[in-house]
Amino acid sequence: MRIVLGVSAGIAAYKAVHLLRLMREAGHQVDVIPTPASEKFVGRATWEAISGRPVTTSVFSGVDEVRHVRLGQEADLIVVAPATADLLARARAGMADDLLTTTLLATEAPVLLVPAMHTEMWNSAATAENVEVLRGRGTEVMEPATGRLTGKDTGPGRLPEPEQIFERVSELLAEIQGPTYAYAPRAGTFYAPDPQAQPALLGRSVVVTAGGTREPLDPVRYLGNRSSGKQGIALAESAAAAGAQVHLIAGIMDVEAPENVANITVERIETAEQLQAAVGRRAPEADLLIMAAAVADFRPTSYAAQKIKKTEDGENPVITLERNPDILAETVQHRRTEGTGPGVVVGFAAETGSAEADPLQLAQAKLLRKGCDLLVLNQVGETLVFGQDETEIHILTSPTLAESSAPVTTLRGTKHQAAEAIISAAAAYLV
Ligand code: C5P
């Protein structure tokens, strides 16, 4: 995530170097904004070297890119460590006399101030009032540690240890990010968020099918379904974000396909047969195939070249249907017989359950019948319907991959969170 690390002019600035290192090692992008006076303690070169980013202190550097506004807007979190008594006073007053205070004023991101100063300054009525006002505005002001200070004095005012600050930073970032899940092949278990935990996808070829198919009856009518395409798009985006080269085969969708997005190519289809042809062309070369599309099981047996008309005798037209190819089952079958095809195949199932079986049992049977490696079950019910942004999924793993019987992982969250869980589940089986 993106952090702005502000450093004000206290001797404890040297400890912020270690804090920066902890943030970088955790994979965060950090822009350091020292106050001009703090450069007397730690110089710009140190911040630039460790953050790997350019460092400026004044609003008047890089004016063209409006740095004070941009850094504040882009940040997920702003941390100031050490925050001196002077910095607290300036933040409280809303002053904007250097790049750091201007950024604090221009941001909507959460702010964590970590004070460090002599005990007398911390205990002073002015500082106490500043802290109270800042906290009242929603700014988090950490309690300083108690211990040895610069001189011979001891007491509250010491900068907490970088590890302790980093722990709080990580908690705040986790709150901001919300739950994201990496898959663990054990029922009901998710591990901590870590987008970089899927190096298996870097440079891989991933094919995702998304949206619904449309089966024409005549030039103006068709049989369709309610698939929104959102889950498929989220999957394509998650895979691309993990460094895969994604080919998105997009059917009919309520939302825009991610055209012109790095690492994603989009191919449009309408009918199941067009989808079959597109998958047939792409799947053999893919490392991972995710069949999120809602494919019509049936299509009209015949297509009327002219619009079907109401007849004089009042007869209702009879539409006969025939089965569409099961593209998923066919691709898996092909992989088995030809030895070519996607390394990992993920199928989807939308089930309501029936009198005889619950949705999970139906999905388990479908996983075996289709022969795919993972099957994502979407429970379709009154509160969980097509097109919604929140979803509940169960990821079922084929018994041939999982050691014992197929483990099930359950997740309720946004479609992007579901996509991340599905992608990392699949990534675990890429060879
Ligand atoms: O049999 P059902 O339609 O429930 O199976 C759903 C899964 O099979 C989805 O992954 C869907 O993309 C795929 N499918 C297919 N070809 C069909 C029907 C479904 O590939 N004709």
Side-chain angles (χ1 to χ4, degrees):
M1 296 183 84
R2 293 176 171 201
I3 304 173
V4 165
L5 174 60
V7 181
S8 57
I11 183 72
Y14 76 94
K15 287 194 189 173
V17 178
H18 185 47
L19 175 62
L20 169 61
R21 176 155 274 150
L22 292 172
M23 291 169 172
R24 294 286 296 131
E25 279 168 3
H28 302 299
Q29 176 185 306
V30 189
D31 281 289
V32 182
I33 311 183
T35 60
S38 81
E39 290 194 274
K40 295 207 167 66
F41 295 99
V42 177
R44 189 175 309 193
T46 304
W47 301 125
E48 286 191 338
I50 298 178
S51 70
R53 314 264 306 160
V55 169
T56 49
T57 59
S58 152
V59 195
F60 301 106
S61 340
V63 178
D64 52 334
E65 48 170 334
V66 205
R67 208 166 150 77
H68 62 291
V69 179
R70 190 175 56 78
L71 288 176
Q73 274 172 350
E74 288 176 358
D76 295 303
L77 177 69
I78 300 193
V79 184
V80 183
T84 57
D86 176 69
L87 188 281
L88 294 177
R90 289 192 290 139
R92 181 254 167 106
M95 287 173 70
D97 47 356
D98 58 26
L99 184 58
L100 178 56
T101 45
T102 317
T103 305
L104 286 173
L105 210 52
T107 192
E108 287 180 4
V111 175
L112 173 67
L113 302 179
V114 193
M117 63 198 74
H118 287 285
T119 305
E120 294 77 9
M121 293 169 87
W122 175 249
N123 286 338
S124 72
T127 300
E129 192 189 305
N130 290 337
V131 168
E132 198 184 318
V133 171
L134 285 163
R135 284 182 176 155
R137 283 184 206 148
T139 299
E140 181 166 332
V141 184
M142 246 173 124
E143 279 301 313
T146 302
R148 265 231 32 225
L149 297 165
T150 327
K152 289 209 175 85
D153 44 350
T154 58
R158 220 175 118 92
L159 189 80
E161 290 310 309
E163 285 77 9
Q164 200 186 336
I165 304 171
F166 180 65
E167 204 180 305
R168 185 63 197 136
V169 166
S170 305
E171 283 169 5
L172 288 170
L173 288 176
E175 277 170 31
I176 296 159
Q177 192 178 25
T180 64
Y181 304 97
Y183 175 83
R186 246 186 311 137
T189 318
F190 296 98
Y191 284 136
D194 184 4
Q196 268 127 36
Q198 294 153 29
L201 274 186
L202 196 65
R204 297 294 191 139
S205 153
V206 175
V207 174
V208 179
T209 69
T213 58
R214 196 174 259 190
E215 307 294 329
L217 275 165
D218 68 20
V220 293
R221 302 186 181 95
Y222 57 83
L223 296 180
N225 60 59
R226 290 182 190 275
S227 173
S228 68
K230 286 180 185 169
Q231 185 64 77
I233 289 176
L235 283 157
E237 288 173 347
S238 291
Q245 185 58 50
V246 181
H247 188 68
L248 175 67
I249 305 176
I252 309 300
M253 308 194 298
D254 292 347
V255 284
E256 293 288 316
E259 310 266 4
N260 309 319
V261 171
N263 294 356
I264 303 181
T265 52
V266 181
E267 177 179 357
R268 313 296 315 216
I269 57 93
E270 272 199 34
T271 66
E273 283 180 307
Q274 289 167 358
L275 179 62
Q276 180 188 33
V279 171
R281 273 194 306 274
R282 291 291 181 158
E285 307 301 322
D287 295 303
L288 170 61
L289 169 67
I290 306 179
M291 288 289 296
V295 189
D297 289 324
F298 303 98
R299 63 170 176 268
T301 312
S302 58
Y303 170 74
Q306 266 87 44
K307 187 178 168 194
I308 302 168
K309 297 258 183 245
K310 290 182 276 268
T311 54
E312 294 296 317
D313 57 12
E315 281 290 304
N316 292 322
V318 175
I319 295 163
T320 53
L321 302 175
E322 65 185 8
R323 287 292 287 268
N324 264 328
D326 189 322
I327 304 161
L328 175 59
E330 180 184 277
T331 308
V332 174
Q333 172 76 16
H334 201 255
R335 179 174 70 169
R336 210 173 12 244
T337 53
E338 306 293 313
T340 60
V344 176
V345 178
V346 181
F348 272 72
E351 306 285 359
T352 54
S354 68
E356 294 78 36
D358 67 31
L360 214 51
Q361 287 169 315
L362 293 175
Q364 227 120 22
K366 186 165 287 178
L367 173 69
L368 298 179
R369 199 167 58 243
K370 301 240 181 192
C372 50
D373 304 309
L374 301 175
L375 188 93
V376 180
L377 166 65
N378 264 301
Q379 239 163 290
V380 189
E382 279 172 15
T383 55
L384 298 159
V385 289
F386 287 106
Q388 292 210 343
D389 294 326
E390 281 279 311
T391 187
E392 181 174 297
I393 60 160
H394 306 273
I395 305 174
L396 286 69
T397 309
S398 159
T400 55
L401 291 180
E403 274 160 20
S404 55
S405 63
V408 180
T409 314
T410 303
L411 155 71
R412 194 174 184 130
T414 66
K415 290 195 170 173
H416 268 98
Q417 288 166 352
E420 277 178 29
I422 295 163
I423 292 287
S424 40
Y429 296 108
L430 285 171
V431 283

